[in-house]
Amino acid sequence: MGQNRTVIPVNVGVVLDDLDSLTGKVWLSCLKMALSDFYASHGSSTTRLALSIRDPREDVVDAAAAALDLIKNVQVQAIIGPTSSMQANFVIDLGDKAKVPIISFSATSPSLTSIRSSYFFRAAQNDSSQVKAISAIVQAFGWRRAVPIYVDNEFGKGVLPSLVDALHDVQARVPYRCAIPPMATDDQLTAALYKLMTMQTRLFIVHMSQSLGARLFAKAQEIGMMKEGYVWIMTNGLTNLVSSTDASVIKSMQGVLGVRTSVPKTEELIDFRVRWKTQFQQQNPTIIDVELDVFALWAYDAAFALAMAVENDGTGTGRISSFQNTNASINSSTDLLTFGVSENGPKLFQSLSNTKFKGLAGDFSFVNGQLQSPVFEIVNVNGNGAREIGFWTPESGLLKNSMNSTNTNRTYSTSKSNMGPIIWPGDSTSVPKGWEIPTNEKKLRVGVPVKIGSPEFVKVVRDPSTNKTLVSGYCIDIFNAVMEKLPYAVTYDFIPFAKPDGTSAGTYNQLVDQVYLGNFDALAAATTIRENRSLYVDFSLPYTESGVVMVVPTKDSKSQNAWVFLKPLTWDLWLTSSCFFIFIGFVIWVLEHRINEDFRGPLSNQVGTGLWFSFSTMVFAHREAVVSNLARFVVTVWVFVVLILTQSYTASLTSLLTIQELQPTFTDLNQLLKNKESVGYPKGSFVYQLLLKQGFDDLKIKAYQSPEECDDLLTKGSAKGGIAAAVDETPNLRLFIAKYCSKYTIIGPIFKTNGFAFVLPKGSALVPDVSRAILNMTDGDEMKEIENKWFGKQATCENTKSPFSDSKSLGLNSFWGLLLIAGVASSSALMISVATFLFMHRHILMTRGTSVRKRIGVMLSIFLQRDLSSHTFRNKNSGHVVEASPVSSSIGQSSPLSLSNHTGPASPFFSEQGTPVSVAVYQNPEIPTTPDQG
């Protein structure tokens, strides 16, 4: 030291347990070496920490008394310690009151954080920081259940809330918690372990002190719980001390997994180990082959940080150890009210919060008084120690090596492939299931309903001669088949959910509650998967179809509809057909009226004849003969179209009067609600709540207990105190319809459900295996065989009953092709006829000197006359016959047109080919006669 530099001693308290033990000696030596190394590397420092050491001997009261003595009498500026979380709980309050920082490198319970003391610094990892690493291991191997085994004190219970939450996040449940007293005897340990052996879970997470943990594993090995099939995971409280654990204890831990703090292997750490071993061996020559654990490194870093903080805060103050007694005027026999408050406490607190350096255990810094070191190492205990198999970080999850822990671009992984090979208990390399059915465990209690629903699903009968309960039914056969398909043997008994008198003990919801309460281990019943039930129990995959339907009576609708004959065709087809009948009649008249006497006469007669001829083709009763080839062509096409229409109409009408005569009385649930009808449901079913949600009055909802009672209520009807419809799940009402198939029909589904499934406790390891077995059954024939065994009658009934279907009327879209053909054929014939007529009398249209109106009138007059050149008239009259034109009288003698004979070629459709005929025409005298006009 220089002659002009004053060194200020700073009193610091140390509260450590069992200083005579190996652990106590190791930790204390690290504290002293930290101070020695700090002052050796900081030769110009003006402060020196003076350690005042107290040993409370693992006693909470003694630890508090030691801290009180250090604060009041020694006036320490900080306290390093105490060792355990229970001791720290009270010491932290003392430090907060006196404004003295409490720095613990071994009190890891998360509950200490909730004290919210500004003067508590945890120079160790919080136990809750490791729970995500443990849950990642559980998730990687797909385990669904875990039992924590913990010491029943502040240290043990503090981590449970965060551990259970972390397991829950990875779909793992905690069915049981095994608390071990801190001072448990060997008999108590054995009793606790035997109880665990009787349970299904084989995954245990151990969180306790080193001494208690060593005894626990020794007993577990002794009673056979360290063999193949078991999984043991240690928290870092045990794993961090494996290096200092006796070889005999290590032997009983073979195959155990552990999570411990990852310590970087730096040159500084290697050099310190060498120096520390040399010094420790000199001070303790009788102790050989001792190793440092992470708590010793944290002790070193905590003392180093405190020396650095004091130096940064107390340089040149001269009064760094001053205390102010704020309660000096109070006369009290209790020392808790008379100790002073450190004036330098707030400054030291701030200095510690800002202290950062690279320590032996890694980067050292406090965030809200907590040490930040998020990397954990996963080890497997084999041979003489722990073997590293992987790492875990909050950002990346499971990693194979620590080199990747700084890579923040990696996705979070829970793959077991990111861990090295593991040797499990019993020297097994096969991954344990994490659970099994113990041979000494009682059989599974499988609950079955009594007289709830149809007996085809579950039927419970008591044999009076043997006083045994016989359980049968579709659900029971499915359950038995599923259990046989599991890859392991499961023994079980069916337990009726009944009162002492044999009647039902409650509804399905109450039956499901029994699984949640632990009275049943499973349910084999027609239990529907519901969201509210899934909050408390787990369901297997469904083994039946889903949906809620309703059954309503059928009614004869024939006598209730006088216009049923119009229903076979839609209105647009009726209208289009009528228009075609009129059009075809017009076309036939155009083609026939000049050459066929049946289509001549007064105008009303001609119109009536055309319509009669067209409409009579519906029944093929037309008696008028058609003589033109074009008309015969049109009639042939039209008769074919009418034949198709009439046959289709007849078939549709027959269907309406036979298959469709049984109509449901109601087709929608809203109709029942609107008409205020009563509806029924099976007693105890969740359908009751569905109906209430739909708006049905409670008085309009009636329960029935059997298919016979349901039939009776439906027969009475809502008006006579019965019901208008029965609402239930599809499988149940299909059974009902099978029995009463001639009276009722099914409407729906009206609600969507997930089907029937087996119920198991929340987090049960049986759920995935049972679901896989159900999938295997649905892919094979076994499920169909069971269905035929119990529901075989249903298929027979459905085959004898005409299926209820809502047949649709025939529409225009079904016949537009035929009508198009008829329209094209008739239109073509009409255009050919008109074109031929115009061609034959084209000279009239081309006559000059007359108005267009008169020429059109003449053409129309000729069109309305008989065509005497036709073979039909030629055969009746020999020679040339000229029929006076009615137009001549109107034109008069002054008309430029005169009637004359014209002989020319006739149309091939109206006369024999090449036969000249005489045609009466009007000739304009002013127009010279051409050779064509004769």
Side-chain angles (χ1 to χ4, degrees), residues 356-367:
K356 295 181 181 181
F357 63 95
K358 191 172 184 62
L360 293 180
D363 293 335
F364 189 97
S365 64
F366 290 115
V367 177

PDB file of all heavy atoms in Angstrom, residues 356-367:
ATOM      1  N   LYS A 356     -21.369  -5.211 -13.349  1.00  0.00           N
ATOM      2  CA  LYS A 356     -21.340  -6.192 -14.434  1.00  0.00           C
ATOM      3  C   LYS A 356     -19.894  -6.600 -14.677  1.00  0.00           C
ATOM      4  O   LYS A 356     -19.007  -5.758 -14.745  1.00  0.00           O
ATOM      5  CB  LYS A 356     -21.930  -5.609 -15.717  1.00  0.00           C
ATOM      6  CG  LYS A 356     -23.408  -5.279 -15.645  1.00  0.00           C
ATOM      7  CD  LYS A 356     -23.921  -4.739 -16.973  1.00  0.00           C
ATOM      8  CE  LYS A 356     -25.410  -4.393 -16.891  1.00  0.00           C
ATOM      9  NZ  LYS A 356     -25.936  -3.874 -18.184  1.00  0.00           N
ATOM     10  N   PHE A 357     -19.659  -7.889 -14.833  1.00  0.00           N
ATOM     11  CA  PHE A 357     -18.332  -8.395 -15.161  1.00  0.00           C
ATOM     12  C   PHE A 357     -18.469  -9.843 -15.616  1.00  0.00           C
ATOM     13  O   PHE A 357     -19.535 -10.451 -15.486  1.00  0.00           O
ATOM     14  CB  PHE A 357     -17.381  -8.289 -13.959  1.00  0.00           C
ATOM     15  CG  PHE A 357     -17.797  -9.125 -12.781  1.00  0.00           C
ATOM     16  CD1 PHE A 357     -17.293 -10.403 -12.582  1.00  0.00           C
ATOM     17  CD2 PHE A 357     -18.708  -8.630 -11.839  1.00  0.00           C
ATOM     18  CE1 PHE A 357     -17.673 -11.166 -11.498  1.00  0.00           C
ATOM     19  CE2 PHE A 357     -19.102  -9.393 -10.753  1.00  0.00           C
ATOM     20  CZ  PHE A 357     -18.577 -10.663 -10.578  1.00  0.00           C
ATOM     21  N   LYS A 358     -17.406 -10.383 -16.133  1.00  0.00           N
ATOM     22  CA  LYS A 358     -17.392 -11.773 -16.587  1.00  0.00           C
ATOM     23  C   LYS A 358     -16.895 -12.631 -15.436  1.00  0.00           C
ATOM     24  O   LYS A 358     -15.705 -12.632 -15.114  1.00  0.00           O
ATOM     25  CB  LYS A 358     -16.491 -11.935 -17.807  1.00  0.00           C
ATOM     26  CG  LYS A 358     -16.631 -13.286 -18.488  1.00  0.00           C
ATOM     27  CD  LYS A 358     -15.866 -13.314 -19.789  1.00  0.00           C
ATOM     28  CE  LYS A 358     -16.078 -14.639 -20.526  1.00  0.00           C
ATOM     29  NZ  LYS A 358     -17.478 -14.852 -20.900  1.00  0.00           N
ATOM     30  N   GLY A 359     -17.790 -13.355 -14.801  1.00  0.00           N
ATOM     31  CA  GLY A 359     -17.438 -14.161 -13.649  1.00  0.00           C
ATOM     32  C   GLY A 359     -17.012 -15.565 -14.032  1.00  0.00           C
ATOM     33  O   GLY A 359     -16.998 -15.941 -15.208  1.00  0.00           O
ATOM     34  N   LEU A 360     -16.725 -16.357 -13.003  1.00  0.00           N
ATOM     35  CA  LEU A 360     -16.322 -17.742 -13.261  1.00  0.00           C
ATOM     36  C   LEU A 360     -17.487 -18.576 -13.797  1.00  0.00           C
ATOM     37  O   LEU A 360     -17.296 -19.494 -14.598  1.00  0.00           O
ATOM     38  CB  LEU A 360     -15.792 -18.371 -11.967  1.00  0.00           C
ATOM     39  CG  LEU A 360     -14.486 -17.794 -11.408  1.00  0.00           C
ATOM     40  CD1 LEU A 360     -14.108 -18.521 -10.125  1.00  0.00           C
ATOM     41  CD2 LEU A 360     -13.360 -17.892 -12.424  1.00  0.00           C
ATOM     42  N   ALA A 361     -18.723 -18.287 -13.367  1.00  0.00           N
ATOM     43  CA  ALA A 361     -19.898 -19.039 -13.807  1.00  0.00           C
ATOM     44  C   ALA A 361     -20.530 -18.449 -15.058  1.00  0.00           C
ATOM     45  O   ALA A 361     -21.549 -18.954 -15.529  1.00  0.00           O
ATOM     46  CB  ALA A 361     -20.936 -19.102 -12.688  1.00  0.00           C
ATOM     47  N   GLY A 362     -19.941 -17.392 -15.619  1.00  0.00           N
ATOM     48  CA  GLY A 362     -20.496 -16.752 -16.806  1.00  0.00           C
ATOM     49  C   GLY A 362     -20.657 -15.268 -16.589  1.00  0.00           C
ATOM     50  O   GLY A 362     -20.153 -14.699 -15.606  1.00  0.00           O
ATOM     51  N   ASP A 363     -21.378 -14.629 -17.505  1.00  0.00           N
ATOM     52  CA  ASP A 363     -21.613 -13.189 -17.376  1.00  0.00           C
ATOM     53  C   ASP A 363     -22.423 -12.908 -16.121  1.00  0.00           C
ATOM     54  O   ASP A 363     -23.477 -13.518 -15.893  1.00  0.00           O
ATOM     55  CB  ASP A 363     -22.361 -12.679 -18.608  1.00  0.00           C
ATOM     56  CG  ASP A 363     -21.510 -12.754 -19.864  1.00  0.00           C
ATOM     57  OD1 ASP A 363     -20.271 -12.737 -19.724  1.00  0.00           O
ATOM     58  OD2 ASP A 363     -22.082 -12.850 -20.968  1.00  0.00           O
ATOM     59  N   PHE A 364     -21.910 -11.944 -15.310  1.00  0.00           N
ATOM     60  CA  PHE A 364     -22.543 -11.651 -14.022  1.00  0.00           C
ATOM     61  C   PHE A 364     -23.182 -10.278 -14.103  1.00  0.00           C
ATOM     62  O   PHE A 364     -22.515  -9.265 -14.339  1.00  0.00           O
ATOM     63  CB  PHE A 364     -21.498 -11.689 -12.904  1.00  0.00           C
ATOM     64  CG  PHE A 364     -22.084 -11.620 -11.520  1.00  0.00           C
ATOM     65  CD1 PHE A 364     -22.300 -12.767 -10.783  1.00  0.00           C
ATOM     66  CD2 PHE A 364     -22.434 -10.401 -10.950  1.00  0.00           C
ATOM     67  CE1 PHE A 364     -22.843 -12.710  -9.507  1.00  0.00           C
ATOM     68  CE2 PHE A 364     -22.980 -10.331  -9.682  1.00  0.00           C
ATOM     69  CZ  PHE A 364     -23.181 -11.492  -8.958  1.00  0.00           C
ATOM     70  N   SER A 365     -24.489 -10.238 -13.868  1.00  0.00           N
ATOM     71  CA  SER A 365     -25.229  -8.965 -13.797  1.00  0.00           C
ATOM     72  C   SER A 365     -26.567  -9.234 -13.139  1.00  0.00           C
ATOM     73  O   SER A 365     -27.110 -10.339 -13.238  1.00  0.00           O
ATOM     74  CB  SER A 365     -25.429  -8.357 -15.190  1.00  0.00           C
ATOM     75  OG  SER A 365     -26.240  -9.193 -15.981  1.00  0.00           O
ATOM     76  N   PHE A 366     -27.088  -8.223 -12.476  1.00  0.00           N
ATOM     77  CA  PHE A 366     -28.386  -8.325 -11.806  1.00  0.00           C
ATOM     78  C   PHE A 366     -29.435  -7.575 -12.616  1.00  0.00           C
ATOM     79  O   PHE A 366     -29.210  -6.430 -13.022  1.00  0.00           O
ATOM     80  CB  PHE A 366     -28.324  -7.756 -10.391  1.00  0.00           C
ATOM     81  CG  PHE A 366     -27.527  -8.592  -9.423  1.00  0.00           C
ATOM     82  CD1 PHE A 366     -26.360  -8.094  -8.856  1.00  0.00           C
ATOM     83  CD2 PHE A 366     -27.939  -9.861  -9.081  1.00  0.00           C
ATOM     84  CE1 PHE A 366     -25.627  -8.856  -7.958  1.00  0.00           C
ATOM     85  CE2 PHE A 366     -27.218 -10.633  -8.195  1.00  0.00           C
ATOM     86  CZ  PHE A 366     -26.056 -10.129  -7.633  1.00  0.00           C
ATOM     87  N   VAL A 367     -30.590  -8.219 -12.834  1.00  0.00           N
ATOM     88  CA  VAL A 367     -31.756  -7.561 -13.414  1.00  0.00           C
ATOM     89  C   VAL A 367     -32.892  -7.733 -12.432  1.00  0.00           C
ATOM     90  O   VAL A 367     -33.347  -8.854 -12.180  1.00  0.00           O
ATOM     91  CB  VAL A 367     -32.132  -8.178 -14.785  1.00  0.00           C
ATOM     92  CG1 VAL A 367     -33.392  -7.517 -15.327  1.00  0.00           C
ATOM     93  CG2 VAL A 367     -30.986  -8.028 -15.773  1.00  0.00           C
TER      94      VAL A 367
END
